[in-house]
Amino acid sequence: MTRETRFTRQLGIDLPLICGAMYPCSNPELVAAASAAGAIGIVQPVSLTFVHGHEFRAGLRLIKNLTSRPFGMNALIEKSSRHYHERLVRWVDVALEEGVRFFITSLGNPRWVVDRAAQAAGIVYHDVTERKWANKAIDGGVHGLIAVNNVAGGHAGRLSPEALLDDLAGLGLPVICAGGVGDPATFRRMLDLGYDGVQMGTRFIATSECNAHPDYKAAIVRAEPEDIVLTERLTGVPVSVINNEYIRRLGTRSGPIARWMLRHRRTKYWMRSIYAVTSMRRLKKSSLTSAGANEYWQAGKSVAGIDSVKPVADLVREFAAALADS
Ligand SMILES: Cc1cc2nc3c(=O)[nH]c(=O)nc-3n(C[C@H](O)[C@H](O)[C@H](O)COP(=O)(O)O)c2cc1C
């Protein structure tokens, strides 16, 4: 049971379902399990190397040893430093050499990824939160759009899944719904609405193959949508987290100095860098350990539909079954 869409045809996969890139939760076993089950897993390079400790090419080979099905790579193309950019170019090249043919780009201009991928007939989708960014991505040559909505885990967008699909109408590219899907019925509803596929993050954390701490998985299963809040205090832009004692102490709005710095072009880079370094370290620790007094966990409002921790194969089978009579 599946549904063929422009997206499944481009990638040659069974089910229009993506296990989204997650810093720090994307361990290679999770990526491989999603692909092996007929969906597609996405490698988060910083997660693969910095959090899970694999040399990049060796990490990709580990996934290839676990499955022969296609998997993708997330390229966050913010030009925050030349060093990072050079490393990202190397990661994209190594991924292409290792047979990766699907890239999801975020933030900057995806053109250079599109051009490099084109040499191997690769497909590039770009994260967008509204039409303005979609038009820029299309100018950059992308083949599809990941529509990040206002209920997504990680960095959320501004529009509801329905409003965002309307906003992106008529652009002629496949559109993937990212955010708010945690159960098979919602998966089907988003496809029936007109999306070409769905990207899930939070739901895939609560699986046996994800290396996140069991307490984190249990907190996702337990949480209700009202427990999910957005805080700017971690990266400078709103991140979706489970409200706990630590988040209540930290607060959800940036302080006045940080806000001022984030508004101004020249200081924005520095403020983002400060947030990035501290939050990367904290996030790495908090996903893999139990929640102490100084920990927090990222999750989206899709927690509403998540009722247990299960193997990825079972999860994907249930999502496929929801399309039985379509
Ligand atoms: C813990 C966590 C970390 C994430 N990290 C990234 C990331 O590094 N890059 C990215 O493009 N998206 C990231 N996302 C977004 C997911 O790939 C996906 O789009 C999102 O989780 C969809 O919303 P959902 O959580 O409601 O399923 C992250 C999401 C979560 C929950």
Side-chain angles (χ1 to χ4, degrees):
M1 280 143 302
T2 184
R3 185 177 304 188
E4 221 183 86
T5 67
R6 292 177 286 182
F7 172 62
T8 59
R9 280 194 294 275
Q10 277 173 337
L11 264 63
I13 57 172
D14 295 342
L15 196 65
L17 181 63
I18 304 175
C19 170
M22 288 184 281
Y23 179 88
C25 299
S26 294
N27 51 291
E29 297 78 9
L30 174 63
V31 174
S35 290
I40 185 161
I42 307 295
V43 168
Q44 212 291 355
V46 187
S47 194
L48 183 66
T49 54
F50 176 65
V51 180
H52 300 286
H54 300 279
E55 188 274 322
F56 187 65
R57 189 187 297 274
L60 299 185
R61 288 188 175 170
L62 169 60
I63 298 170
K64 284 162 63 176
N65 280 338
L66 296 171
T67 181
S68 57
R69 308 301 302 271
F71 61 93
M73 174 192 152
N74 181 217
L76 205 155
I77 47 185
E78 188 177 36
K79 279 219 173 104
S80 50
S81 75
R82 211 177 65 208
H83 177 67
Y84 172 74
H85 178 70
E86 283 166 3
R87 196 161 48 164
L88 186 58
V89 172
R90 245 188 347 267
W91 279 335
V92 168
D93 287 346
V94 169
L96 285 164
E97 283 164 22
E98 291 299 322
V100 174
R101 294 292 177 267
F102 181 48
F103 296 86
I104 296 182
T105 52
S106 326
L107 295 176
N109 185 340
R111 172 55 73 183
W112 68 266
V113 183
V114 170
D115 288 346
R116 275 182 139 78
Q119 294 166 23
I123 300 289
V124 181
Y125 276 39
H126 191 72
D127 279 346
V128 300
T129 51
E130 53 189 289
R131 195 177 181 91
K132 175 170 74 170
W133 306 119
N135 282 325
K136 288 207 164 172
I138 291 169
D139 289 346
V142 300
H143 310 93
L145 304 167
I146 307 283
V148 182
N149 59 48
N150 64 349
V151 281
H155 289 113
R158 237 175 18 89
L159 299 174
S160 71
E162 293 79 6
L164 186 49
L165 188 63
D166 280 352
D167 193 46
L168 300 174
L171 292 172
L173 294 190
V175 182
I176 305 297
C177 170
V181 181
D183 60 282
T186 312
F187 172 58
R188 177 170 181 156
R189 198 161 61 76
M190 289 303 128
L191 295 177
D192 288 348
L193 208 60
Y195 279 108
D196 295 271
V198 165
Q199 171 161 286
M200 298 196 302
T202 305
R203 172 64 270 197
F204 278 107
I205 299 173
T207 59
S208 330
E209 288 85 349
C210 180
N211 278 353
H213 194 279
D215 289 353
Y216 184 1
K217 299 180 187 181
I220 287 176
V221 171
R222 224 177 20 245
E224 299 296 335
E226 311 79 76
D227 300 323
I228 304 299
V229 292
L230 292 171
T231 177
E232 297 170 349
R233 295 295 298 266
L234 302 169
T235 62
V237 286
V239 179
S240 184
V241 292
I242 300 178
N243 200 7
N244 64 7
E245 193 43 46
Y246 177 70
I247 295 294
R248 280 189 282 277
R249 259 189 291 128
L250 186 72
T252 50
R253 301 237 19 222
S254 308
I257 296 174
R259 266 209 308 281
W260 183 85
M261 286 181 81
L262 284 164
R263 267 204 309 271
H264 294 80
R265 235 170 183 275
R266 254 190 267 155
T267 48
K268 186 163 140 179
Y269 163 67
W270 291 108
M271 199 59 228
R272 281 269 171 84
S273 305
I274 293 165
Y275 273 131
V277 171
T278 47
S279 70
M280 292 259 274
R281 288 212 189 100
R282 261 200 229 132
L283 272 172
K284 173 183 173 181
K285 194 164 157 256
S286 66
S287 81
L288 303 171
T289 58
S290 181
N294 292 316
E295 308 294 346
Y296 62 90
W297 290 314
Q298 291 186 82
K301 286 188 187 287
S302 55
V303 291
I306 304 175
D307 56 6
S308 63
V309 176
K310 56 181 76 170
V312 167
D314 293 357
L315 177 70
V316 173
R317 208 174 304 116
E318 285 168 19
F319 276 65
L323 307 178
D325 56 351
S326 64

